[in-house]
Amino acid sequence: MNKRIALVTGGVGGIGTAVCKKLAQEGVFVVANYGIPGTESRWKESMAAAGLNGASSALAFGDVTDYDAMTGMVKAINDAHGAIDILVNCAGITRDATFRKMTPEHWHAVIDTNLTSVFNVTRQVIDAMCERGWGRIINISSVNAVRGQFGQTNYSAAKAGILGFTKALAQEVVKKGVTVNAISPGYVQTDMTNAIREDVRQQIVAQIPAGRMGLPEEIADSVAFLASDKASYITGTNLSVNGGLHMYA
Ligand code: CAA
């Protein structure tokens, strides 16, 4: 069988890089999307340090908030590497502020990058997955989608939107061999959580029953499972990986 091909949006970030490494180690050819020039250098070092090179991975620049840019990016990936079998929608940002201080820019930046991006990229790959009869869409949501978080009306709304998207699309494509699932990480050690004010971060960690933040690799392991053939009968689910911070019914 040919190598499966994965596209990871936000692939050079903390969780994205761990996902790229894990999938590449499992024998998948991984394409890491990034939207800010220069942010890919750390990814290159990290992949090289893990012994992963151009035979197992590539980079693809493109703004996930721009539908037409995503059309072009996915076409270029298809031409260079082949059709995408696995899409991990991982691109995400925060613009935390209490709602009374939140500006339209804070709102739209997060909704566009974290939620509209999922439409923009999934729309590019879904037809070919259905035609080939196999596909995996894995959407990275957040514990704060369901739990809500002080200072994150924009982020919680976007991440909750991802859960609705996941369940709706899962129903539409399951008969075509395509599964659509979400993973909801809790607080994970990345630049995103490093940006939280120190005193606030300490208060949050104190609430996590596991007594610590998660590691990017702990999210990547769940992605690899949902991307595998072992997860072929799982669709429309939301896998929470949060150290006990929030437990769903
Ligand atoms: N619940 C209730 N009240 C709270 C509160 C909470 N969780 N947090 C703060 N408050 C209160 C404070 O006690 C304070 O009250 P007083 O005015 O009476 O003293 C008031 O609200 C203002 O609090 P801050 O000083 O924190 O307000 P600020 O404007 O300086 O900061 C904020 C606001 C930037 C949103 C800051 O609270 C913050 O960073 N919060 C954390 C947000 C967060 O968890 N972000 C997650 C980022 S990582 C991520 O998103 C990944 C993922 O998926 C989990």
Side-chain angles (χ1 to χ4, degrees):
M1 193 180 68
N2 288 337
K3 268 195 171 194
R4 286 197 168 131
I5 298 176
L7 169 61
V8 183
T9 72
V12 303
I15 292 177
T17 301
V19 168
C20 288
K21 272 195 218 165
K22 179 71 186 172
L23 291 177
Q25 283 160 349
E26 303 254 312
V28 173
F29 184 87
V30 181
V31 182
N33 152 263
Y34 66 106
I36 302 171
T39 54
E40 76 281 19
S41 52
R42 202 162 59 172
W43 178 91
K44 281 185 189 165
E45 287 165 20
S46 185
M47 295 295 279
L52 301 164
N53 54 28
S56 56
S57 61
L59 285 158
F61 176 76
D63 177 357
V64 291
T65 70
D66 181 339
Y67 184 86
D68 292 337
M70 289 300 99
T71 307
M73 187 187 79
V74 169
K75 185 176 182 316
I77 294 168
N78 289 341
D79 291 347
H81 307 291
I84 293 161
D85 304 292
I86 300 162
L87 169 62
V88 185
N89 283 307
C90 190
I93 59 168
T94 52
R95 295 287 183 272
D96 292 354
T98 55
F99 185 68
R100 292 172 68 188
K101 291 184 194 162
M102 191 170 286
T103 64
E105 287 73 26
H106 288 136
W107 177 263
H108 289 295
V110 170
I111 297 296
D112 292 353
T113 306
N114 298 16
L115 179 59
T116 306
S117 64
V118 175
F119 170 79
N120 289 344
V121 187
T122 307
R123 190 66 189 82
Q124 314 296 338
V125 303
I126 199 76
D127 286 345
M129 285 182 182
C130 288
E131 280 157 23
R132 292 199 316 283
W134 198 93
R136 295 282 187 267
I137 309 285
I138 299 161
N139 299 320
I140 304 301
S141 180
S142 164
V143 65
N144 292 342
V146 173
R147 199 180 70 127
Q149 170 60 39
F150 186 100
Q152 286 200 308
T153 48
N154 50 1
Y155 187 88
S156 297
K159 294 296 191 178
I162 285 179
L163 298 181
F165 174 96
T166 299
K167 290 187 261 191
L169 183 61
Q171 293 177 36
E172 292 186 21
V173 297
V174 65
K175 276 194 184 159
K176 304 288 184 187
V178 181
T179 66
V180 188
N181 290 293
I183 293 175
S184 286
Y187 283 76
V188 177
Q189 281 177 26
T190 61
D191 288 346
M192 187 182 273
T193 51
N194 278 335
I196 305 171
R197 220 172 59 209
E198 177 62 22
D199 59 320
V200 176
R201 195 169 64 241
Q202 282 179 13
Q203 283 170 20
I204 291 169
V205 174
Q207 293 167 23
I208 303 172
R212 64 169 177 88
M213 285 205 194
L215 300 173
E217 293 73 22
E218 291 173 311
I219 309 305
D221 284 338
S222 294
V223 172
F225 169 64
L226 289 175
S228 74
D229 285 315
K230 290 178 188 158
S232 53
Y233 203 57
I234 301 175
T235 198
T237 200
N238 176 24
L239 181 54
S240 72
V241 188
N242 65 31
L245 180 59
H246 184 80
M247 296 178 192
Y248 306 90

